Each structure stands twice: as C-alpha cells, then as structure tokens.
Amino acid sequence: MPEPTGNPSDPPHFSRPSGTTGTSGTSEPSRPSEPLASSGGPAPEQVAQRLTAVIGRLLRRLRTTSSDSLLTPTQRSVLSRLDREGPATTAALARAEFVRPQSMRLTLGALEAQGLVGRAPDPADGRKSVMSITGSGLAVLTAVRAAKNDWLAEAIAAELDDEERRTLVEAADLLGRLVGK
C-alpha cells in the first residue's frame, strides 16, 4: 500500500481507481489510498471525518442558493419548524433551536414584521402567545426549498453519470439509516 502524502491532518480522499475517468472524460489524478480498518474497509473515524467535511460544504452551498430570500439561517429554520410541527410558543421554539428566548423573540419579531409568521393567544394559557407560519411565510419557505432542490438536481445532472447517481442514492439511504438512530 502506498504511503499517504500531504498534510497528515487533512481528511482522507475517496477517489476513483487510477486510470478511470470522470464524467468529463478526462483522467483524474490518483489520490492516496484510504487507510484500512481491521475489516479491510476504511476506518470509521476517517469516514466520519470525510463525511463531516463534505456534508459541511454541501450545507454551506445549499444555504447560498436561497440567499435572495433575505432570510437568515435561523429564520429559515424557525419557518421550517413551524411548518413541520405547527404553532409554538417563543420558549418552545427557543428550546428546539438551542437559542436563548431573547434571541428567539428577535428572530420572531423580524419574521412577524415581514408577515411570515403570525401571533395568536395560547389556548392553554392566555398570558402566552403562539406563533404560526402564515401563507406568505409558507410561500417564502417553499421558494427557498425549491431553490435548494433545483440547484442540487442541476448539480447532480451535470456532474454525475447514471451509475454515480445510483451510488449517491445508496449513500443517501445509508446516511438516512445513520441519522435515524
């Protein structure tokens, strides 16, 4: 097995076997082989490190696809949560988003000012109010989701051949299994 080259703290690279070609038809340079675990496959720690790096880049790229919506990542997350889970109090949203209630009040205030969320008295406790997504909020959220999906679908179509797309579906199934635990 060849010795790894480059910075040892860099994440390992997964690549096609030497001499294979990408979708562009050009030969891609070989990268160092992945160190193997005792079972013969890549070590779980190295797979985790590589996945963390790639998924982080993917998430950052997806966030930039909807930048024209003028929503912060927290605002998008809150709208998405209200869409999925229904109306909630400021305190419940703060706990769910792992932020302080004061920060959540600011986020909800900005969303309310844009007409993306609405406030109503809490049926269980009239001193509190619950926030819910409005029709306008749902329209913005739908547009943000569509922009992300469109970018990813276009990137997949442009960069991956049929076999690579099948492999990506298998990888998505495996990732789903991991996060389902």
Side-chain angles (χ1 to χ4, degrees), residues 38-57:
S38 61
S39 65
E45 296 81 10
Q46 292 164 329
V47 175
Q49 187 179 44
R50 180 69 177 157
L51 278 175
T52 299
V54 170
I55 291 171
R57 287 196 322 265

mmCIF file with all atom_site columns, all heavy atoms in Angstrom, residues 38-57:
data_model
loop_
_atom_site.group_PDB
_atom_site.id
_atom_site.type_symbol
_atom_site.label_atom_id
_atom_site.label_alt_id
_atom_site.label_comp_id
_atom_site.label_asym_id
_atom_site.label_entity_id
_atom_site.label_seq_id
_atom_site.pdbx_PDB_ins_code
_atom_site.Cartn_x
_atom_site.Cartn_y
_atom_site.Cartn_z
_atom_site.occupancy
_atom_site.B_iso_or_equiv
_atom_site.pdbx_formal_charge
_atom_site.auth_seq_id
_atom_site.auth_comp_id
_atom_site.auth_asym_id
_atom_site.auth_atom_id
_atom_site.pdbx_PDB_model_num
ATOM 1   N N   . SER A 1 38 ? -9.360  -2.795 10.422 1.00 0.00 ? 38 SER A N   1
ATOM 2   C CA  . SER A 1 38 ? -9.016  -4.204 10.530 1.00 0.00 ? 38 SER A CA  1
ATOM 3   C C   . SER A 1 38 ? -9.910  -5.081 9.653  1.00 0.00 ? 38 SER A C   1
ATOM 4   O O   . SER A 1 38 ? -9.511  -6.153 9.239  1.00 0.00 ? 38 SER A O   1
ATOM 5   C CB  . SER A 1 38 ? -9.093  -4.648 11.991 1.00 0.00 ? 38 SER A CB  1
ATOM 6   O OG  . SER A 1 38 ? -10.408 -4.465 12.473 1.00 0.00 ? 38 SER A OG  1
ATOM 7   N N   . SER A 1 39 ? -11.117 -4.626 9.334  1.00 0.00 ? 39 SER A N   1
ATOM 8   C CA  . SER A 1 39 ? -12.035 -5.397 8.488  1.00 0.00 ? 39 SER A CA  1
ATOM 9   C C   . SER A 1 39 ? -11.688 -5.274 7.014  1.00 0.00 ? 39 SER A C   1
ATOM 10  O O   . SER A 1 39 ? -12.283 -5.945 6.186  1.00 0.00 ? 39 SER A O   1
ATOM 11  C CB  . SER A 1 39 ? -13.467 -4.924 8.717  1.00 0.00 ? 39 SER A CB  1
ATOM 12  O OG  . SER A 1 39 ? -13.596 -3.584 8.283  1.00 0.00 ? 39 SER A OG  1
ATOM 13  N N   . GLY A 1 40 ? -10.765 -4.407 6.672  1.00 0.00 ? 40 GLY A N   1
ATOM 14  C CA  . GLY A 1 40 ? -10.381 -4.223 5.273  1.00 0.00 ? 40 GLY A CA  1
ATOM 15  C C   . GLY A 1 40 ? -10.994 -2.995 4.640  1.00 0.00 ? 40 GLY A C   1
ATOM 16  O O   . GLY A 1 40 ? -10.590 -2.593 3.566  1.00 0.00 ? 40 GLY A O   1
ATOM 17  N N   . GLY A 1 41 ? -11.986 -2.386 5.279  1.00 0.00 ? 41 GLY A N   1
ATOM 18  C CA  . GLY A 1 41 ? -12.596 -1.165 4.761  1.00 0.00 ? 41 GLY A CA  1
ATOM 19  C C   . GLY A 1 41 ? -11.968 0.045  5.407  1.00 0.00 ? 41 GLY A C   1
ATOM 20  O O   . GLY A 1 41 ? -11.114 -0.075 6.291  1.00 0.00 ? 41 GLY A O   1
ATOM 21  N N   . PRO A 1 42 ? -12.360 1.252  4.982  1.00 0.00 ? 42 PRO A N   1
ATOM 22  C CA  . PRO A 1 42 ? -11.817 2.464  5.610  1.00 0.00 ? 42 PRO A CA  1
ATOM 23  C C   . PRO A 1 42 ? -12.190 2.520  7.094  1.00 0.00 ? 42 PRO A C   1
ATOM 24  O O   . PRO A 1 42 ? -13.260 2.051  7.481  1.00 0.00 ? 42 PRO A O   1
ATOM 25  C CB  . PRO A 1 42 ? -12.482 3.612  4.848  1.00 0.00 ? 42 PRO A CB  1
ATOM 26  C CG  . PRO A 1 42 ? -13.211 3.010  3.719  1.00 0.00 ? 42 PRO A CG  1
ATOM 27  C CD  . PRO A 1 42 ? -13.311 1.536  3.934  1.00 0.00 ? 42 PRO A CD  1
ATOM 28  N N   . ALA A 1 43 ? -11.318 3.084  7.884  1.00 0.00 ? 43 ALA A N   1
ATOM 29  C CA  . ALA A 1 43 ? -11.570 3.207  9.319  1.00 0.00 ? 43 ALA A CA  1
ATOM 30  C C   . ALA A 1 43 ? -12.769 4.127  9.552  1.00 0.00 ? 43 ALA A C   1
ATOM 31  O O   . ALA A 1 43 ? -12.904 5.157  8.888  1.00 0.00 ? 43 ALA A O   1
ATOM 32  C CB  . ALA A 1 43 ? -10.340 3.765  10.022 1.00 0.00 ? 43 ALA A CB  1
ATOM 33  N N   . PRO A 1 44 ? -13.668 3.769  10.483 1.00 0.00 ? 44 PRO A N   1
ATOM 34  C CA  . PRO A 1 44 ? -14.858 4.595  10.738 1.00 0.00 ? 44 PRO A CA  1
ATOM 35  C C   . PRO A 1 44 ? -14.519 6.052  11.053 1.00 0.00 ? 44 PRO A C   1
ATOM 36  O O   . PRO A 1 44 ? -15.232 6.960  10.627 1.00 0.00 ? 44 PRO A O   1
ATOM 37  C CB  . PRO A 1 44 ? -15.520 3.910  11.937 1.00 0.00 ? 44 PRO A CB  1
ATOM 38  C CG  . PRO A 1 44 ? -15.067 2.502  11.869 1.00 0.00 ? 44 PRO A CG  1
ATOM 39  C CD  . PRO A 1 44 ? -13.675 2.550  11.303 1.00 0.00 ? 44 PRO A CD  1
ATOM 40  N N   . GLU A 1 45 ? -13.438 6.289  11.786 1.00 0.00 ? 45 GLU A N   1
ATOM 41  C CA  . GLU A 1 45 ? -13.060 7.665  12.132 1.00 0.00 ? 45 GLU A CA  1
ATOM 42  C C   . GLU A 1 45 ? -12.727 8.476  10.887 1.00 0.00 ? 45 GLU A C   1
ATOM 43  O O   . GLU A 1 45 ? -13.049 9.657  10.794 1.00 0.00 ? 45 GLU A O   1
ATOM 44  C CB  . GLU A 1 45 ? -11.857 7.674  13.081 1.00 0.00 ? 45 GLU A CB  1
ATOM 45  C CG  . GLU A 1 45 ? -12.131 7.045  14.429 1.00 0.00 ? 45 GLU A CG  1
ATOM 46  C CD  . GLU A 1 45 ? -12.054 5.502  14.417 1.00 0.00 ? 45 GLU A CD  1
ATOM 47  O OE1 . GLU A 1 45 ? -11.590 4.905  13.394 1.00 0.00 ? 45 GLU A OE1 1
ATOM 48  O OE2 . GLU A 1 45 ? -12.471 4.897  15.406 1.00 0.00 ? 45 GLU A OE2 1
ATOM 49  N N   . GLN A 1 46 ? -12.078 7.833  9.922  1.00 0.00 ? 46 GLN A N   1
ATOM 50  C CA  . GLN A 1 46 ? -11.713 8.536  8.692  1.00 0.00 ? 46 GLN A CA  1
ATOM 51  C C   . GLN A 1 46 ? -12.937 8.789  7.812  1.00 0.00 ? 46 GLN A C   1
ATOM 52  O O   . GLN A 1 46 ? -13.052 9.839  7.185  1.00 0.00 ? 46 GLN A O   1
ATOM 53  C CB  . GLN A 1 46 ? -10.638 7.760  7.951  1.00 0.00 ? 46 GLN A CB  1
ATOM 54  C CG  . GLN A 1 46 ? -9.342  7.778  8.742  1.00 0.00 ? 46 GLN A CG  1
ATOM 55  C CD  . GLN A 1 46 ? -8.373  6.724  8.278  1.00 0.00 ? 46 GLN A CD  1
ATOM 56  O OE1 . GLN A 1 46 ? -8.782  5.669  7.817  1.00 0.00 ? 46 GLN A OE1 1
ATOM 57  N NE2 . GLN A 1 46 ? -7.101  7.018  8.415  1.00 0.00 ? 46 GLN A NE2 1
ATOM 58  N N   . VAL A 1 47 ? -13.852 7.837  7.774  1.00 0.00 ? 47 VAL A N   1
ATOM 59  C CA  . VAL A 1 47 ? -15.094 8.037  7.022  1.00 0.00 ? 47 VAL A CA  1
ATOM 60  C C   . VAL A 1 47 ? -15.876 9.186  7.648  1.00 0.00 ? 47 VAL A C   1
ATOM 61  O O   . VAL A 1 47 ? -16.383 10.065 6.942  1.00 0.00 ? 47 VAL A O   1
ATOM 62  C CB  . VAL A 1 47 ? -15.938 6.741  6.987  1.00 0.00 ? 47 VAL A CB  1
ATOM 63  C CG1 . VAL A 1 47 ? -17.284 6.997  6.310  1.00 0.00 ? 47 VAL A CG1 1
ATOM 64  C CG2 . VAL A 1 47 ? -15.190 5.629  6.266  1.00 0.00 ? 47 VAL A CG2 1
ATOM 65  N N   . ALA A 1 48 ? -15.959 9.197  8.981  1.00 0.00 ? 48 ALA A N   1
ATOM 66  C CA  . ALA A 1 48 ? -16.681 10.264 9.688  1.00 0.00 ? 48 ALA A CA  1
ATOM 67  C C   . ALA A 1 48 ? -16.056 11.620 9.390  1.00 0.00 ? 48 ALA A C   1
ATOM 68  O O   . ALA A 1 48 ? -16.768 12.602 9.145  1.00 0.00 ? 48 ALA A O   1
ATOM 69  C CB  . ALA A 1 48 ? -16.688 9.994  11.190 1.00 0.00 ? 48 ALA A CB  1
ATOM 70  N N   . GLN A 1 49 ? -14.737 11.691 9.402  1.00 0.00 ? 49 GLN A N   1
ATOM 71  C CA  . GLN A 1 49 ? -14.043 12.958 9.142  1.00 0.00 ? 49 GLN A CA  1
ATOM 72  C C   . GLN A 1 49 ? -14.334 13.449 7.724  1.00 0.00 ? 49 GLN A C   1
ATOM 73  O O   . GLN A 1 49 ? -14.640 14.623 7.507  1.00 0.00 ? 49 GLN A O   1
ATOM 74  C CB  . GLN A 1 49 ? -12.546 12.759 9.356  1.00 0.00 ? 49 GLN A CB  1
ATOM 75  C CG  . GLN A 1 49 ? -11.739 14.018 9.275  1.00 0.00 ? 49 GLN A CG  1
ATOM 76  C CD  . GLN A 1 49 ? -10.259 13.735 9.526  1.00 0.00 ? 49 GLN A CD  1
ATOM 77  O OE1 . GLN A 1 49 ? -9.704  12.777 9.010  1.00 0.00 ? 49 GLN A OE1 1
ATOM 78  N NE2 . GLN A 1 49 ? -9.641  14.573 10.331 1.00 0.00 ? 49 GLN A NE2 1
ATOM 79  N N   . ARG A 1 50 ? -14.278 12.553 6.771  1.00 0.00 ? 50 ARG A N   1
ATOM 80  C CA  . ARG A 1 50 ? -14.533 12.919 5.379  1.00 0.00 ? 50 ARG A CA  1
ATOM 81  C C   . ARG A 1 50 ? -15.991 13.354 5.185  1.00 0.00 ? 50 ARG A C   1
ATOM 82  O O   . ARG A 1 50 ? -16.277 14.349 4.533  1.00 0.00 ? 50 ARG A O   1
ATOM 83  C CB  . ARG A 1 50 ? -14.192 11.732 4.478  1.00 0.00 ? 50 ARG A CB  1
ATOM 84  C CG  . ARG A 1 50 ? -14.407 11.971 3.028  1.00 0.00 ? 50 ARG A CG  1
ATOM 85  C CD  . ARG A 1 50 ? -13.427 12.955 2.472  1.00 0.00 ? 50 ARG A CD  1
ATOM 86  N NE  . ARG A 1 50 ? -13.654 13.068 1.035  1.00 0.00 ? 50 ARG A NE  1
ATOM 87  C CZ  . ARG A 1 50 ? -13.296 14.090 0.341  1.00 0.00 ? 50 ARG A CZ  1
ATOM 88  N NH1 . ARG A 1 50 ? -12.645 15.079 0.900  1.00 0.00 ? 50 ARG A NH1 1
ATOM 89  N NH2 . ARG A 1 50 ? -13.551 14.131 -0.941 1.00 0.00 ? 50 ARG A NH2 1
ATOM 90  N N   . LEU A 1 51 ? -16.929 12.589 5.763  1.00 0.00 ? 51 LEU A N   1
ATOM 91  C CA  . LEU A 1 51 ? -18.340 12.948 5.649  1.00 0.00 ? 51 LEU A CA  1
ATOM 92  C C   . LEU A 1 51 ? -18.633 14.304 6.273  1.00 0.00 ? 51 LEU A C   1
ATOM 93  O O   . LEU A 1 51 ? -19.377 15.105 5.706  1.00 0.00 ? 51 LEU A O   1
ATOM 94  C CB  . LEU A 1 51 ? -19.217 11.888 6.320  1.00 0.00 ? 51 LEU A CB  1
ATOM 95  C CG  . LEU A 1 51 ? -19.538 10.657 5.500  1.00 0.00 ? 51 LEU A CG  1
ATOM 96  C CD1 . LEU A 1 51 ? -20.299 9.639  6.344  1.00 0.00 ? 51 LEU A CD1 1
ATOM 97  C CD2 . LEU A 1 51 ? -20.327 11.010 4.263  1.00 0.00 ? 51 LEU A CD2 1
ATOM 98  N N   . THR A 1 52 ? -18.049 14.550 7.433  1.00 0.00 ? 52 THR A N   1
ATOM 99  C CA  . THR A 1 52 ? -18.263 15.835 8.101  1.00 0.00 ? 52 THR A CA  1
ATOM 100 C C   . THR A 1 52 ? -17.819 16.985 7.210  1.00 0.00 ? 52 THR A C   1
ATOM 101 O O   . THR A 1 52 ? -18.531 17.981 7.068  1.00 0.00 ? 52 THR A O   1
ATOM 102 C CB  . THR A 1 52 ? -17.505 15.861 9.444  1.00 0.00 ? 52 THR A CB  1
ATOM 103 O OG1 . THR A 1 52 ? -18.010 14.811 10.271 1.00 0.00 ? 52 THR A OG1 1
ATOM 104 C CG2 . THR A 1 52 ? -17.687 17.190 10.156 1.00 0.00 ? 52 THR A CG2 1
ATOM 105 N N   . ALA A 1 53 ? -16.665 16.839 6.592  1.00 0.00 ? 53 ALA A N   1
ATOM 106 C CA  . ALA A 1 53 ? -16.151 17.899 5.724  1.00 0.00 ? 53 ALA A CA  1
ATOM 107 C C   . ALA A 1 53 ? -17.032 18.098 4.493  1.00 0.00 ? 53 ALA A C   1
ATOM 108 O O   . ALA A 1 53 ? -17.404 19.224 4.148  1.00 0.00 ? 53 ALA A O   1
ATOM 109 C CB  . ALA A 1 53 ? -14.713 17.572 5.301  1.00 0.00 ? 53 ALA A CB  1
ATOM 110 N N   . VAL A 1 54 ? -17.401 17.017 3.839  1.00 0.00 ? 54 VAL A N   1
ATOM 111 C CA  . VAL A 1 54 ? -18.185 17.117 2.603  1.00 0.00 ? 54 VAL A CA  1
ATOM 112 C C   . VAL A 1 54 ? -19.605 17.603 2.891  1.00 0.00 ? 54 VAL A C   1
ATOM 113 O O   . VAL A 1 54 ? -20.128 18.466 2.182  1.00 0.00 ? 54 VAL A O   1
ATOM 114 C CB  . VAL A 1 54 ? -18.201 15.759 1.865  1.00 0.00 ? 54 VAL A CB  1
ATOM 115 C CG1 . VAL A 1 54 ? -19.197 15.764 0.714  1.00 0.00 ? 54 VAL A CG1 1
ATOM 116 C CG2 . VAL A 1 54 ? -16.816 15.432 1.347  1.00 0.00 ? 54 VAL A CG2 1
ATOM 117 N N   . ILE A 1 55 ? -20.228 17.073 3.925  1.00 0.00 ? 55 ILE A N   1
ATOM 118 C CA  . ILE A 1 55 ? -21.593 17.491 4.258  1.00 0.00 ? 55 ILE A CA  1
ATOM 119 C C   . ILE A 1 55 ? -21.614 18.952 4.682  1.00 0.00 ? 55 ILE A C   1
ATOM 120 O O   . ILE A 1 55 ? -22.523 19.699 4.320  1.00 0.00 ? 55 ILE A O   1
ATOM 121 C CB  . ILE A 1 55 ? -22.214 16.563 5.319  1.00 0.00 ? 55 ILE A CB  1
ATOM 122 C CG1 . ILE A 1 55 ? -22.473 15.187 4.694  1.00 0.00 ? 55 ILE A CG1 1
ATOM 123 C CG2 . ILE A 1 55 ? -23.503 17.156 5.877  1.00 0.00 ? 55 ILE A CG2 1
ATOM 124 C CD1 . ILE A 1 55 ? -22.888 14.117 5.680  1.00 0.00 ? 55 ILE A CD1 1
ATOM 125 N N   . GLY A 1 56 ? -20.589 19.394 5.396  1.00 0.00 ? 56 GLY A N   1
ATOM 126 C CA  . GLY A 1 56 ? -20.495 20.806 5.765  1.00 0.00 ? 56 GLY A CA  1
ATOM 127 C C   . GLY A 1 56 ? -20.431 21.705 4.543  1.00 0.00 ? 56 GLY A C   1
ATOM 128 O O   . GLY A 1 56 ? -21.121 22.726 4.469  1.00 0.00 ? 56 GLY A O   1
ATOM 129 N N   . ARG A 1 57 ? -19.613 21.313 3.554  1.00 0.00 ? 57 ARG A N   1
ATOM 130 C CA  . ARG A 1 57 ? -19.521 22.110 2.316  1.00 0.00 ? 57 ARG A CA  1
ATOM 131 C C   . ARG A 1 57 ? -20.854 22.091 1.568  1.00 0.00 ? 57 ARG A C   1
ATOM 132 O O   . ARG A 1 57 ? -21.289 23.111 1.030  1.00 0.00 ? 57 ARG A O   1
ATOM 133 C CB  . ARG A 1 57 ? -18.390 21.589 1.422  1.00 0.00 ? 57 ARG A CB  1
ATOM 134 C CG  . ARG A 1 57 ? -17.017 21.927 1.943  1.00 0.00 ? 57 ARG A CG  1
ATOM 135 C CD  . ARG A 1 57 ? -15.891 21.767 0.922  1.00 0.00 ? 57 ARG A CD  1
ATOM 136 N NE  . ARG A 1 57 ? -15.994 20.653 0.031  1.00 0.00 ? 57 ARG A NE  1
ATOM 137 C CZ  . ARG A 1 57 ? -15.413 19.461 0.219  1.00 0.00 ? 57 ARG A CZ  1
ATOM 138 N NH1 . ARG A 1 57 ? -14.704 19.231 1.299  1.00 0.00 ? 57 ARG A NH1 1
ATOM 139 N NH2 . ARG A 1 57 ? -15.535 18.503 -0.677 1.00 0.00 ? 57 ARG A NH2 1
#
